[in-house]
């Protein structure tokens, strides 16, 4: 058993001690979504964490789930083709992911929640807020965009030095994984190669389907219009993000308008919640009560 698998085994044990357990929800025949959910029914405000494209939900949000479980009903889903979520449908759109999460939450009895969406999860979160305004009460968005339009996609890839998103996000070598981690972080230490190899194994799971997800993610500029969101949205960004720089956070705030607030975390890159978890959690602990009560 590899080191990452051992770590996940212990992490899952700690999460269960904190009152969060995995539960598979059948969304429709052939589609099953794995959620980490409160072990006991509570009346605490619901917070749903939506992960990015590299790791599953609980690896992405491990520090936040553990820190917030005492005061919130924490839900951490795996998107379809990540972690233990799967579908036999051919649908690959952001809308499909949004529908699966929303339907799963409703089956779990969640009537109203705050979404915390990171990168790909932010895009899914925006779509959920648009389609299910009665479910999504407010949002925290980290290092993301409303939609990955062709112009945004082209500019990001050019800056990163890649021809396509699969080339960057779905590497096929240990070197590619190391490059991905370094570009996603501000000052992560270099890991031993066997760690990158284990990460690569996880990335390769459902690789063909993930390539299709990335293809479906990019939409034409003409296809996208800025929705009118009724939700309060807090933009929380890594100041040194190399994938979506701070200008993207400022632009996102302008797109949302007066219902948006913005905050930057120093000395952190794209994966700010993993790189500076204590600071990120401190920001969440300040903003969530105001979002929940507004």
């Amino acid at each position: 058993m590899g080191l990452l698998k051992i770590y996940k085994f212990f992490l899952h044990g700690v999460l269960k001690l904190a009152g969060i357990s995995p539960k598979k929800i059948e969304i429709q025949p052939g589609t099953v979504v794995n959620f980490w959910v409160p072990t006991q029914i509570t009346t605490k405000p619901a917070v749903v964490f939506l992960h990015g494209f590299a790791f599953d939900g609980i690896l992405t949000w491990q520090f936040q789930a553990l820190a917030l479980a005492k005061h919130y009903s924490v839900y951490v889903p795996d998107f379809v083709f990540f972690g233990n979520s799967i579908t036999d449908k051919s649908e690959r759109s952001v809308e499909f992911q949004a529908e699966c999460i929303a339907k799963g939450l409703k089956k779990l009895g969640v009537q109203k929640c705050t979404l915390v969406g990171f990168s790909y999860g932010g895009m899914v979160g925006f779509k959920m807020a648009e389609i299910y305004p009665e479910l999504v009460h407010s949002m925290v968005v980290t290092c993301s965009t409303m939609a990955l339009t062709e112009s945004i996609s082209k500019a990001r890839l050019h800056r990163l030095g890649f021809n396509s998103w699969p080339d960057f996000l779905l590497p096929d070598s240990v070197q590619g994984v190391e490059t991905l981690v370094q570009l996603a972080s501000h000052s992560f230490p270099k890991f031993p190669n066997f760690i990158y190899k284990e990460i690569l194994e996880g990335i390769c799971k459902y690789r063909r389907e993930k390539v299709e997800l990335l293809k479906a993610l990019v939409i034409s500029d003409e296809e996208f219009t800025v929705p009118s969101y009724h939700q309060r949205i807090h933009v929380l960004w890594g100041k040194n993000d190399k994938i979506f720089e701070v200008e993207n956070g400022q632009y996102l705030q302008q797109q949302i308008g007066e219902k948006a607030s913005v905050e930057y975390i120093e000395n952190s890159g794209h994966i700010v919640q993993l790189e500076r978890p204590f600071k990120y959690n401190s920001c969440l602990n300040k903003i969530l009560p105001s979002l929940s009560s507004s």
Side-chain angles (χ1 to χ4, degrees):
M1 187 184 284
L3 192 62
L4 196 59
K5 286 191 175 73
I6 293 168
Y7 176 74
K8 285 177 83 169
F9 175 79
F10 282 107
L11 173 62
H12 292 181
V14 173
L15 285 158
K16 287 171 186 174
L17 288 173
I20 311 171
S21 302
K23 188 170 187 176
K24 289 184 178 176
I25 303 294
E26 187 179 55
I27 307 302
Q28 56 190 317
T31 302
V32 175
V33 173
N34 181 67
F35 283 81
W36 283 83
V37 303
T39 308
Q40 296 179 323
I41 295 169
T42 74
T43 55
K44 300 172 195 171
V47 180
V48 180
F49 290 95
L50 303 175
H51 65 83
F53 212 88
F55 295 133
D56 63 19
I58 211 63
L59 262 186
T60 303
W61 295 111
Q62 52 187 297
F63 301 115
Q64 290 67 44
L66 288 168
L68 269 67
K70 188 175 178 183
H71 299 293
Y72 295 92
S73 294
V74 170
Y75 295 84
V76 188
D78 292 328
F79 290 132
V80 171
F81 298 121
F82 294 86
N84 292 314
S85 298
I86 189 70
T87 187
D88 61 4
K89 305 287 180 290
S90 59
E91 182 62 67
R92 300 288 182 263
S93 67
V94 168
E95 287 90 339
F96 179 69
Q97 296 280 23
E99 285 166 10
C100 287
I101 302 303
K103 287 173 183 175
L105 288 169
K106 288 177 180 178
K107 289 194 174 197
L108 287 163
V110 177
Q111 296 178 324
K112 188 172 75 168
C113 67
T114 295
L115 298 179
V116 183
F118 159 68
S119 198
Y120 180 62
M123 299 176 217
V124 176
F126 273 119
K127 189 55 69 174
M128 282 179 67
E130 181 188 347
I131 302 173
Y132 302 97
E134 75 293 341
L135 172 67
V136 180
H137 176 261
S138 52
M139 279 182 72
V140 177
V141 181
T142 293
C143 303
S144 187
T145 181
M146 281 188 190
L148 194 60
T149 59
E150 285 175 351
S151 57
I152 293 173
S153 174
K154 192 175 178 182
R156 297 301 90 221
L157 286 169
H158 178 74
R159 182 175 172 82
L160 291 165
F162 287 88
N163 292 321
S164 71
W165 289 108
D167 286 349
F168 174 48
L169 293 170
L170 298 171
D172 56 9
S173 68
V174 165
Q175 179 60 49
V177 176
E178 184 181 348
T179 301
L180 172 60
V181 172
Q182 293 304 317
L183 284 171
S185 64
H186 173 55
S187 56
F188 248 29
K190 180 175 164 57
F191 297 131
N193 274 1
F194 70 86
I195 296 286
Y196 294 129
K197 190 164 184 262
E198 284 188 67
I199 294 172
L200 180 63
E201 286 168 14
I203 288 172
C204 287
K205 189 180 177 187
Y206 302 124
R207 183 186 173 84
R208 179 176 59 83
E209 290 83 357
K210 286 175 180 172
V211 169
E212 292 166 359
L213 288 173
L214 287 171
K215 189 175 179 184
L217 186 59
V218 181
I219 62 171
S220 69
D221 289 62
E222 294 76 23
E223 211 178 316
F224 176 68
T225 53
V226 177
S228 179
Y229 295 103
H230 77 81
Q231 297 93 344
R232 282 273 313 282
I233 299 174
H234 187 69
V235 178
L236 184 55
W237 220 266
K239 191 78 180 279
N240 309 94
D241 189 351
K242 303 183 196 87
I243 299 172
F244 290 111
E245 302 99 316
V246 291
E247 292 80 15
N248 295 94
Q250 292 159 0
Y251 180 58
L252 187 57
Q253 184 192 18
Q254 290 167 8
Q255 282 182 304
I256 299 163
E258 60 184 26
K259 289 189 178 291
S261 50
V262 67
E263 187 175 0
Y264 300 102
I265 296 177
E266 300 281 347
N267 302 314
S268 58
H270 190 66
I271 50 173
V272 52
Q273 77 283 10
L274 287 168
E275 199 165 17
R276 295 205 60 197
F278 297 111
K279 180 61 180 173
Y280 191 93
N281 294 351
S282 172
C283 294
L284 281 186
N285 279 321
K286 283 182 201 158
I287 192 65
L288 286 175
S290 65
L291 289 177
S292 299
S293 61
S294 61

